[in-house]
């Protein structure tokens, strides 16, 4: 049968099946924050034509009566039984989010692990019958070479008349090339739960020459990493997730190479960072044991493998390297944040908070570093919030309330489609400051903007202002979800500070990492208790990819962070005796 998706205009052939699965198999982006379990309601679509299965119990709970009359369905619950036409509303489409550059990326002394060395070799003759590899070793020392490259070596040497550029990664020969080939590039890659960021770096100058980013296509299998772990428990699904992310990265690599007119074969190393689950899936390692106590990764040390083993489209013998993981859910992205901020070199006490689908918190100085992870991200990235969405075009990112008037700003100044994390911080703080809600997030006064049919809700943007002609509202359930997510983060840094032996208000410096952090209103974040009330705040931007670049450009820095990562003290919040008490106290405003 044929299924047509509008407004993208794609028609795909498929067997009978669940609509969300058909869309996933065809790389058509439909939001699925809960991973297709029928609980988030973000995958609403409209059946224009065709025969589908009966409404499920989940759909009857989530869809309003008027939506059912208008043929709205949940893609994750709808079985397609015939040729169909499906319309994906704007609020259900996956779109690229806003990505910010790092604001604190330092100049690094170039000392790359990849080297390109011009050499001239003597041709063999009856008096000198050394092997081709021995001739190379005579010039380069005791190098290693893969069987794959060794097979090609005789032809490559003779084709280039024994005048070559030898490309080494440490003492491993990864390419034999013409003397005319002088390009030397590397990649820094941040594999986030919901976005992918790639920077192409000229390893001769250390300059970043191109940048590209995309949504992580794995979001179709769930916004949070627990959903990914659950999906990847069998080998077939793990392979599917790994292939998805590698294919998406290869598209970005193609885009980067097109920007600067170079061949992917001129990229000899990629340094990859990401949380522990993203790291494992990328390398094809099962993440299922990270998801259950005692939350053990398969490996924490930095690893390196040839790109051909992973499928990444760089030089086939080029190396794909990850920074070390710390423990549990604290992955290589946290290690990259450490490498960038270098809080381990300072006398002052600093905290690094990377708020995302999963929030990692690092606290310390040169004496010691503590780390923890909190599952707080979904609410900050739109999940569990009725009109919540990521930081994409049309998302409300700033809010101010004056009297009964709501003033907001959307990303790209588009008509509003929903509200993202920074907008929720502003909204909750403004509702509290203006007396609309109490400390527990309950509406505490009457207003022309508050609708009290069923669960009370506050109108942020009226129907005539929005992209899809419906009021954008926030209800008490949404505010409660947001306060629970905020409380998880606050409980995390409160417990780390207690372990370190200081009052959180004595933290000298706070680094807000990630794109999300750069758009947070500092005053409002402190009003709601997301951040301590004192301490200098530095908006670090997309810091993980910058940390990866530092490692890409400097062997010395790479060795340094390897030593530091081993000394980080991991705090597992789920086993902390006081966590529940601290968490409950952190919920109110």
């Amino acid at each position: 049968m044929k299924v047509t998706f509008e407004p993208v205009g794609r028609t795909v052939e498929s067997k009978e099946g669940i609509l969300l699965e058909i869309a996933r198999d065809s790389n058509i982006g439909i939001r699925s924050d809960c991973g297709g379990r029928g609980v988030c309601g973000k995958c609403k679509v409209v059946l224009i034509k065709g025969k589908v299965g009966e409404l499920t119990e989940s759909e009857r709970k989530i869809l309003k009566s008027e939506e059912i009359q208008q043929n709205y369905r949940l893609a994750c619950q709808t079985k397609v039984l015939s040729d169909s036409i499906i319309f994906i509303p704007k609020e259900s489409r996956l779109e690229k989010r806003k990505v910010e550059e790092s604001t604190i990326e330092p100049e690094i002394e170039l000392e790359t692990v990849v080297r390109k060395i011009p050499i001239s070799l003597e041709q063999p003759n009856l008096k000198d019958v050394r092997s081709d590899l021995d001739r190379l070793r005579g010039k380069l020392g005791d190098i290693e070479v893969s069987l794959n490259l060794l097979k090609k070596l005789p032809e490559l040497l003779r084709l280039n008349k024994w005048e070559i550029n030898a490309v080494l990664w440490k003492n491993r020969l990864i390419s034999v090339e013409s003397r005319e080939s002088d390009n030397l590039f590397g990649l820094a890659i941040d594999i986030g739960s919901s976005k992918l960021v790639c920077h192409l770096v000229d390893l001769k100058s250390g300059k970043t020459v191109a940048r590209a980013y995309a949504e992580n296509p794995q979001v179709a299998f769930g916004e949070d990493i627990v959903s990914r772990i659950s999906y990847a428990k069998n080998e077939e699904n793990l392979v599917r997730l790994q292939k998805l992310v590698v294919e998406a990265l290869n598209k970005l690599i193609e885009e980067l190479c097109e920007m600067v007119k170079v061949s992917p074969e001129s990229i000899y190393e990629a340094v990859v960072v990401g949380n522990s689950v993203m790291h494992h899936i990328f390398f094809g390692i099962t993440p299922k044991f990270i998801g259950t106590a005692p939350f053990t990764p398969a490996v924490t040390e930095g690893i390196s493998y040839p790109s051909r083993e992973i499928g990444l489209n760089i030089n086939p013998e080029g190396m794909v390297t990850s920074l070390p993981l710390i423990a549990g859910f604290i992955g290589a992205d946290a290690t990259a944040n450490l490498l960038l901020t270098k809080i381990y070199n300072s006398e002052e006490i600093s905290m690094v908070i990377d708020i995302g689908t999963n929030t990692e918190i690092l606290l310390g100085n040169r004496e010691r570093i503590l780390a923890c992870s909190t599952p707080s991200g979904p609410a900050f990235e739109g999940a569990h919030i009725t009109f919540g969405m990521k930081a994409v075009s049309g998302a409300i990112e700033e809010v101010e309330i004056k009297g009964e008037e709501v003033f907001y700003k959307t990303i790209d100044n588009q008509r509003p489609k929903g509200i993202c994390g920074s907008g929720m911080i502003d909204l909750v703080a403004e509702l509290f400051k203006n007396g609309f809600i109490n400390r527990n997030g309950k509406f505490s006064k009457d207003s022309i903007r508050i609708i009290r049919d069923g669960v009370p809700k506050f109108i942020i943007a009226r129907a005539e202002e929005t992209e899809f002609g419906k009021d954008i509202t926030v209800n008490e359930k949404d505010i409660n979800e947001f306060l629970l997510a905020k409380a998880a983060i606050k409980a995390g840094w409160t417990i780390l500070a207690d372990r370190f032996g200081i009052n959180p208000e004595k933290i000298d410096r706070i680094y807000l990492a990630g794109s999300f952090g750069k758009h947070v209103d500092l005053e409002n974040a402190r009003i709601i208790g997301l951040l301590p009330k004192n301490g200098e705040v530095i908006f670090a931007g997309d810091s993980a990819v910058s940390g990866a670049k530092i490692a890409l450009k400097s062997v010395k820095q790479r060795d340094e962070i390897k030593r530091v990562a081993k000394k980080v003290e991991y705090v597992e919040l789920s086993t902390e005796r006081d966590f529940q008490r601290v968490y409950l106290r952190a919920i109110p405003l």
Side-chain angles (χ1 to χ4, degrees), residues 160-205:
N160 289 292
K161 299 179 180 178
W162 307 92
E163 300 286 330
I164 62 164
N165 280 331
V167 184
L168 295 178
W169 182 88
K170 295 184 178 178
N171 71 330
R172 181 187 180 97
L173 184 69
I174 58 174
S175 188
V176 172
E177 302 173 353
S178 160
R179 282 283 185 89
E180 295 173 3
S181 170
D182 64 347
N183 287 332
L184 192 69
F185 291 96
L187 277 177
I189 300 174
D190 176 16
I191 303 175
S193 304
S194 50
K195 70 177 187 297
L196 308 172
V197 182
C198 273
H199 288 195
L200 183 64
V201 179
D202 185 336
L203 296 181
K204 294 189 296 181
S205 67

Side-chain angles (χ1 to χ4, degrees), residues 531-552:
L531 299 176
K533 288 186 170 56
N534 298 312
E536 176 193 9
V537 174
I538 295 173
F539 297 96
D542 248 331
S543 48
V545 73
S546 294
K549 275 197 284 190
I550 292 171
L552 179 67

Side-chain angles (χ1 to χ4, degrees), residues 453-517:
D453 58 334
V455 179
K457 53 192 175 187
F458 181 89
I459 300 172
I460 310 165
R462 298 194 183 279
E464 60 270 20
E465 303 168 21
T466 67
E467 178 70 27
F468 43 80
K470 297 178 188 175
D471 289 342
I472 293 175
T473 62
V474 63
N475 60 42
E476 287 184 349
K477 183 177 177 293
D478 296 330
I479 295 170
N480 185 60
E481 288 285 352
F482 182 79
L483 293 182
L484 293 177
K486 178 268 299 190
I489 296 173
K490 183 175 181 179
W493 52 255
T494 300
I495 285 174
L496 289 192
D498 183 64
R499 278 284 195 98
F500 200 85
I502 62 164
N503 184 311
E505 307 308 329
K506 299 295 183 184
I507 295 171
D508 297 298
R509 186 174 292 109
I510 300 166
Y511 291 92
L512 279 180
S515 293
F516 176 82

Side-chain angles (χ1 to χ4, degrees), residues 242 246 282-283 304-312 319-321:
Q242 197 263 354
V246 169
F282 171 75
F283 283 102
S304 298
Y305 293 101
S307 61
R308 57 186 161 75
E309 291 188 25
I310 294 158
L312 204 64
M319 300 299 285
V320 180
T321 297

Side-chain angles (χ1 to χ4, degrees), residues 285-358:
I285 304 166
T286 180
K288 65 182 177 182
F289 300 108
I290 302 174
T292 55
F295 314 108
T296 310
V299 61
T300 53
E301 65 191 46
I303 54 177
S304 298
Y305 293 101
S307 61
R308 57 186 161 75
E309 291 188 25
I310 294 158
L312 204 64
N313 186 26
I314 62 173
N315 189 287
E317 297 299 316
M319 300 299 285
V320 180
T321 297
S322 84
L323 289 186
L325 282 60
I326 292 172
F329 290 100
I330 310 286
D333 50 353
T335 307
N337 284 334
L338 270 181
L339 185 56
L340 180 68
T341 60
K342 288 191 164 39
I343 66 174
Y344 52 82
N345 283 340
S346 176
E347 289 285 353
E348 295 180 313
I349 299 169
S350 298
M351 179 164 66
V352 182
I353 302 183
D354 190 348
I355 300 174
T357 309
N358 210 54

Side-chain angles (χ1 to χ4, degrees), residues 370-439:
L370 302 174
C372 73
S373 171
T374 67
S376 56
F380 284 96
E381 297 208 334
H384 312 313
I385 307 295
T386 306
F387 286 93
M389 63 188 298
K390 295 172 187 171
V392 299
S393 185
I396 295 171
E397 62 174 346
E398 295 177 16
V399 177
E400 184 179 5
I401 299 175
K402 292 181 179 178
E404 294 287 343
E405 291 296 313
V406 177
F407 301 91
Y408 55 78
K409 178 187 172 187
T410 64
I411 294 174
D412 298 330
N413 294 315
Q414 298 295 304
R415 290 171 73 88
K417 301 176 186 175
I419 186 164
C420 64
S422 61
M424 277 298 294
I425 290 172
D426 282 357
L427 177 63
V428 173
E430 289 288 320
L431 288 173
F432 181 60
K433 283 191 290 187
N434 288 276
F436 287 98
I437 59 174
N438 60 25
R439 293 186 67 242

